[in-house]
Amino acid sequence: MENVASIAGSLFDEAQRTNERRALVLAGDRERGYDALESTLEALPIPITDTTLVGSEDRLRCECVSQSRAGELLGTTRTAVALDTHGGLRPNALGSVLGAIDGGGLFFLLVPSLEDWPDRRGEFDESLAVPPFSLSEVTGRFRQRLVDTLRAHRGIAVVDLTDGRLEADGLTHPAPRWYPATDGEQPSDSRHQRLSPDQHLFPPETYDACLTDDQAEAVAAFESLADESESESDRECENGYGSGKRALVLQADRGRGKSSAAGLAAGALAAAGADVLVTAPDRRNAREVFDRAGELCNRLEAATIVESDRLETVDGGRVRFLEPAAAVGESTPTDEDGSGIDGRGETPDVVIVDEAAAFPVSRLEAFLEADRIAFATTTHGYEGAGRGFSVRFRDRLADSDHEVVDRTLVEPIRYAAGDPLEIWGFRALLLDARPPVAPLVADAQPETVEYCRLEPDELLADESLLREAFGLLVLAHYRTEPNDLARLLDAPNLETRALVHDGHVASVALLAREGGLSAETRETMYEGGRVRGNMLPDVLTSQLRDEKAGGPRGIRIVRIATHHDARGRGLGSQLLECVEAEFAGRGGTADEDDSVDWLGTGFGATPGLLSFWRENGYRTVHVSGTRNDASGKHSALMLRPASDGGRALHDRHARWFARRISALSTDALADLEPDTVRELLGSVDERAAPALELSDHEWRIVAGAAYGPGLFDVDPGPFRALAVRYLVETPDSVALEDRQERLLVLRVLQGRAWPAVADRLEYHSTRQCMRALGETFRPLVDRYGSDPARSVRERFLGE
């Protein structure tokens, strides 16, 4: 054990000297590993308060968190972190741990024998054994890849505890290098010291506290959120931004000091009298913001109260923390009751959302009610974040009325550039996976690509192919985590298909086998029991009460993505056709034992996505009544039958959906965008359109509103039935304009108030909007109306 302590001491000395991080792998028996770890930590000059154990047992005197709670470390720093993997490894936990280790720190990894580890099964592996697959069918490719990278990368020491053998000492023997001292002193040529005070709103001390040029420029960007009235009144500032709504997006990989920059800016704003509201996924994540804000205000002699989540200044400014739900609240600054965005009647001057990439898109959108908002987000997040922000939310931000400023931090602060653990973590978890560079697929056409099965063993053996395929999948989804890489390599129910152009991935699809469940499993699912995987059968069974839904076998397209420079050429549709030919047998290539009954998909519903899937033969059978936390959208489920059994499953759910959509539209789907509703109904199989069973009296009411003095408000029911029938069937004989269809959705189906509908659709008055609705129903009465309806029409037209 003394030898292990000596190895760790050498690693720690080198880490401290270079401001980099090092890792020590303790491979072998668990008890030996803990004995070695405990004696090593006792020998190192690392405070126990700066040490964390991530594992299932509280074996040391330091802080201990489980792997499932490792995400709580994000936004915090530790000098030493140990990760115990003997009970299994969650890839997300590994990423969170790496993100929490400070420069000069050590990472201890407790693992079984490296030769045995890939074949060991743990809790995470059990989550991959989705029915009807068993745990024995889950592979260990992810751990094998991890072992290979541990042995290949610099800065990682490996000790075999079984025979006390040192496999690698982890030392890189770099030349000594200077890095900023911890007392905040800066090199004399630092750019932010040369900034002229009259160029900036914030006090010079704010920039003196910055550690890099990047950080100084990021802090300066926060001035776009300040009122010039909060600065010295006679100061002539070049950074005037006007008085409109403004947003700042601050992006960085971990360790670049974005939270510190946000804290310095928050302190400067508060010192000038501003009310700054800070929120983050967890109170601990925002600690850096408050530490830096407090330090600056103390230096400015502006602070009156400095606490872990509250700061007040002599000029009435403050920095305060609220949990995300409380920060958003249920009302906006424009509500009649005067409530503010924080839900307490106090509208802050500036809102700072730290660790924004970890928030669901719906919550990020809610923050846009603030006039001045900053989002600090991780680019390549260990938690798999960044994609929800960059894939989904950035479009919403661009469409808002905020003037947006972007800044990116590149230069590391917490550790030196080229840090070995960052390099290893990026490779091991593919955090920086990218699709092929544009020129390699720019000429890809349907006739130049080859349909390929990307077998996990092939991906494991070909790093370039793995990075290209996973990189495309990352960009296709709002939240891709390290766990997803393990699923791709090890889950028995997942398969990958691609269109390859000259050996490079131009389009890729991740597929999940679902259904084919035993009667016992289907009964468990029907009675509310938790069954892993099988998303489509689960929803159709447990929520929609169809106990037979888990019987037919299917393929769910989990994700599909086409390279940005090869889009618009039909490659995505071609890939879906190839998948159908392989599994549904329509191209003659499906093995009889491998064929399926249905193809399906589920996604956050948008008009564009619904249209894409509809054009490829998929039809809507369900839409969730609540918004998905991550996507911020209502999830749509769509099916494409591939057998008689699949057709029966589809048909009954299509009929049920078309029958209940009218009631849902005034309840759970009342806030759904009208164009999304139009596409949802337009993508329902027209054979499922509900029959129009209107009485003669109801037809006279509808026809009277269309051609005479009748009113919709007298009895909305028959109008809703007619609107649903039309939007599902959309007959060629009826040519309604887009605005007319939106009017059907907003007023007839969703029941929104006349003034709100008139304003939304830009009618000059409520009365004009009411007349427009009557005119909209005229062609529907002509197309579907009974004899009583036609009699009303003839009477008022004088025919």
Side-chain angles (χ1 to χ4, degrees):
M1 300 307 175
E2 293 181 2
N3 186 41
V4 173
S6 175
I7 294 166
S10 297
L11 289 171
F12 185 66
D13 289 343
E14 189 174 84
Q16 289 281 301
R17 189 171 66 252
T18 59
N19 194 32
E20 295 178 346
R21 303 172 300 170
R22 298 291 184 266
L24 174 56
V25 179
L26 301 175
D29 179 73
R30 186 179 198 176
E31 293 303 318
R32 290 187 182 182
Y34 270 107
D35 288 344
L37 176 61
E38 188 170 12
S39 61
T40 296
L41 290 175
E42 289 177 353
L44 291 171
I46 300 175
I48 201 71
T49 56
D50 212 16
T51 304
T52 297
L53 169 64
V54 179
S56 58
E57 299 181 21
D58 189 358
R59 298 286 296 266
L60 304 174
R61 293 181 295 109
C62 63
E63 174 190 43
C64 180
V65 298
S66 65
Q67 288 195 35
S68 62
R69 293 176 49 225
E72 296 176 6
L73 297 177
L74 293 171
T76 68
T77 56
R78 301 288 186 274
T79 302
V81 181
L83 174 62
D84 177 8
T85 70
H86 282 274
L89 171 65
R90 293 174 181 251
N92 280 4
L94 174 60
S96 297
V97 165
L98 292 176
I101 304 170
D102 206 358
L106 293 181
F107 172 44
F108 297 93
L109 184 62
L110 279 67
V111 301
S113 163
L114 293 184
E115 282 67 33
D116 298 337
W117 192 24
D119 295 326
R120 296 278 290 270
R121 301 292 182 269
E123 181 182 357
F124 179 74
D125 300 283
E126 293 174 1
S127 73
L128 303 185
V130 304
F133 298 94
S134 65
L135 182 60
S136 63
E137 295 174 276
V138 177
T139 67
R141 296 184 187 92
F142 175 80
R143 288 184 296 279
Q144 183 59 62
R145 185 175 181 277
L146 208 59
V147 169
D148 293 342
T149 60
L150 286 169
R151 285 172 162 160
H153 275 258
R154 59 192 290 271
I156 301 174
V158 180
V159 175
D160 187 334
L161 296 172
T162 303
D163 55 14
R165 178 172 53 90
L166 178 63
E167 185 173 321
D169 65 14
L171 298 175
T172 61
H173 306 289
R177 83 175 56 153
W178 178 92
Y179 58 91
T182 56
D183 61 4
E185 294 181 1
Q186 302 299 311
S188 59
D189 62 345
S190 181
R191 176 182 178 275
H192 53 266
Q193 286 194 334
R194 301 201 306 267
L195 292 173
S196 175
D198 62 3
Q199 291 180 319
H200 291 277
L201 295 175
F202 293 160
E205 291 86 348
T206 312
Y207 298 99
D208 291 341
C210 294
L211 298 178
T212 65
D213 293 355
D214 266 358
Q215 195 174 53
E217 292 175 358
V219 171
F222 276 88
E223 294 186 359
S224 66
L225 306 180
D227 263 344
E228 289 190 31
S229 60
E230 294 163 0
S231 65
E232 296 178 19
S233 59
D234 59 349
R235 176 178 295 170
E236 297 225 352
C237 177
E238 297 179 5
N239 289 346
Y241 289 87
S243 58
K245 299 182 76 171
R246 310 165 206 159
L248 168 65
V249 175
L250 182 60
Q251 303 181 86
D253 289 332
R254 294 213 172 276
R256 268 61 182 175
K258 66 181 185 303
S259 294
S260 294
L264 290 171
L269 289 163
D275 178 13
V276 181
L277 172 63
V278 177
T279 191
D282 186 85
R283 192 176 298 266
R284 296 171 61 183
N285 300 139
R287 189 177 69 182
E288 184 74 9
V289 175
F290 283 88
D291 286 349
R292 299 290 82 75
E295 291 170 4
L296 176 62
C297 286
N298 282 333
R299 187 174 181 183
L300 294 172
E301 298 182 352
T304 59
I305 297 176
V306 178
E307 297 178 355
S308 61
D309 60 358
R310 185 168 68 107
L311 166 69
E312 295 185 8
T313 68
V314 294
D315 287 335
R318 59 178 176 170
V319 183
R320 54 199 170 96
F321 179 86
L322 284 179
E323 300 289 345
V328 172
E330 296 183 357
S331 56
T332 72
T334 57
D335 280 355
E336 293 180 359
D337 64 0
S339 296
I341 191 173
D342 65 3
R344 300 181 178 183
E346 300 173 302
T347 303
D349 297 307
V350 176
V351 177
I352 295 177
V353 182
D354 199 20
E355 302 294 343
F359 281 83
V361 173
S362 58
R363 181 147 290 166
L364 292 172
E365 291 178 344
F367 281 119
L368 291 179
E369 296 293 344
D371 288 340
R372 298 175 196 170
I373 179 93
F375 299 97
T377 179
T378 304
T379 307
H380 301 115
Y382 294 109
E383 72 279 28
R387 301 310 178 193
F389 191 94
S390 61
V391 173
R392 302 292 176 89
F393 178 65
R394 284 309 300 263
D395 289 342
R396 175 68 180 87
L397 180 59
D399 291 339
S400 74
D401 52 0
H402 287 73
E403 179 183 352
V404 181
V405 175
D406 283 280
R407 289 293 182 274
T408 301
L409 290 165
V410 177
E411 189 175 352
I413 287 180
R414 295 207 334 239
Y415 39 77
D419 170 68
L421 277 197
E422 181 174 73
I423 295 171
W424 172 71
F426 270 46
R427 182 186 173 193
L429 303 177
L430 285 188
L431 298 178
D432 57 349
R434 286 288 183 270
V437 294
L440 296 177
V441 295
D443 296 330
Q445 299 287 343
E447 61 272 12
T448 69
V449 295
E450 177 185 1
Y451 178 65
C452 298
R453 299 169 61 109
L454 300 184
E455 300 289 357
D457 285 333
E458 181 185 6
L459 293 172
L460 185 66
D462 189 336
E463 182 78 6
S464 177
L465 184 64
L466 176 61
R467 294 180 67 86
E468 288 186 359
F470 193 67
L472 262 183
L473 291 172
V474 166
L475 292 180
H477 202 252
Y478 47 82
R479 191 174 183 87
T480 302
E481 305 171 323
N483 282 354
D484 293 318
L485 176 60
R487 293 186 181 103
L488 178 70
L489 294 173
D490 294 335
N493 68 316
L494 294 182
E495 303 186 28
T496 310
R497 300 293 185 268
L499 296 179
V500 176
H501 174 74
D502 290 339
H504 297 283
V505 179
S507 189
V508 65
L510 182 64
L511 315 176
R513 290 185 177 272
E514 297 189 346
L517 303 176
S518 66
E520 181 181 4
T521 302
R522 297 200 304 270
E523 182 179 359
T524 298
M525 190 180 291
Y526 185 78
E527 293 177 352
R530 185 70 182 270
V531 176
R532 292 186 300 272
N534 291 278
M535 187 271 280
L536 273 163
D538 183 32
V539 172
L540 301 182
T541 301
S542 62
Q543 295 185 29
L544 302 180
R545 313 311 298 154
D546 182 4
E547 192 170 357
K548 298 179 181 179
R553 296 190 300 175
I555 289 288
R556 176 168 63 92
I557 292 84
V558 181
R559 300 181 194 177
I560 183 169
T562 297
H563 195 288
H564 181 79
D565 288 271
R567 290 177 183 170
R569 305 171 193 171
L571 294 181
S573 296
Q574 180 175 343
L575 180 55
L576 290 177
E577 290 176 5
C578 292
V579 169
E580 182 188 8
E582 177 183 354
F583 291 100
R586 293 180 182 169
T589 62
D591 186 281
E592 184 174 348
D593 294 332
D594 204 36
S595 62
V596 298
D597 300 297
W598 54 264
L599 300 167
T601 188
F603 53 89
T606 65
L609 287 175
L610 287 163
S611 176
F612 168 79
W613 288 101
R614 176 173 53 80
E615 290 170 359
N616 283 282
Y618 290 73
R619 295 292 178 261
T620 302
V621 294
H622 178 62
V623 61
S624 65
T626 58
R627 293 182 182 269
N628 181 279
D629 280 345
S631 70
K633 305 294 182 183
H634 291 266
S635 297
L637 302 186
M638 304 182 80
L639 289 175
R640 178 165 186 171
S643 73
D644 290 343
R647 170 61 65 184
L649 176 69
H650 164 272
D651 287 356
R652 64 178 178 267
H653 280 279
R655 290 195 305 271
W656 295 345
F657 175 69
R659 192 170 63 199
R660 67 177 178 270
I661 187 65
S662 178
L664 286 172
S665 295
T666 57
D667 188 25
L669 304 182
D671 64 342
L672 203 57
E673 285 297 304
D675 285 347
T676 303
V677 176
R678 293 168 63 203
E679 284 293 344
L680 275 171
L681 289 172
S683 59
V684 175
D685 192 315
E686 63 181 39
R687 295 175 305 163
L692 281 173
E693 299 175 346
L694 273 61
S695 67
D696 291 350
H697 174 68
E698 288 173 324
W699 273 120
R700 285 193 289 270
I701 288 176
V702 175
Y707 287 101
L711 297 174
F712 161 81
D713 296 332
V714 169
D715 184 4
F719 292 87
R720 288 178 183 149
L722 188 54
V724 170
R725 177 61 181 265
Y726 161 74
L727 289 170
V728 170
E729 196 175 55
T730 55
D732 294 336
S733 59
V734 180
L736 294 185
E737 298 176 352
D738 290 345
R739 185 162 76 157
Q740 290 177 305
E741 291 189 353
R742 293 177 184 128
L743 179 57
L744 289 178
V745 172
L746 290 168
R747 181 59 190 144
V748 178
L749 295 184
Q750 295 181 327
R752 301 196 193 186
W754 282 113
V757 175
D759 182 64
R760 174 72 179 271
L761 298 180
E762 299 182 346
Y763 287 102
H764 296 305
S765 65
T766 297
R767 185 174 295 278
Q768 185 192 34
C769 184
M770 296 172 72
R771 287 197 300 269
L773 182 63
E775 294 169 359
T776 298
F777 270 98
R778 288 182 179 182
L780 303 189
V781 170
D782 294 347
R783 170 67 175 80
Y784 298 105
S786 65
D787 288 341
R790 284 190 286 271
S791 297
V792 172
R793 176 184 182 277
E794 292 168 1
R795 177 177 180 178
F796 285 101
L797 291 181
E799 296 179 354

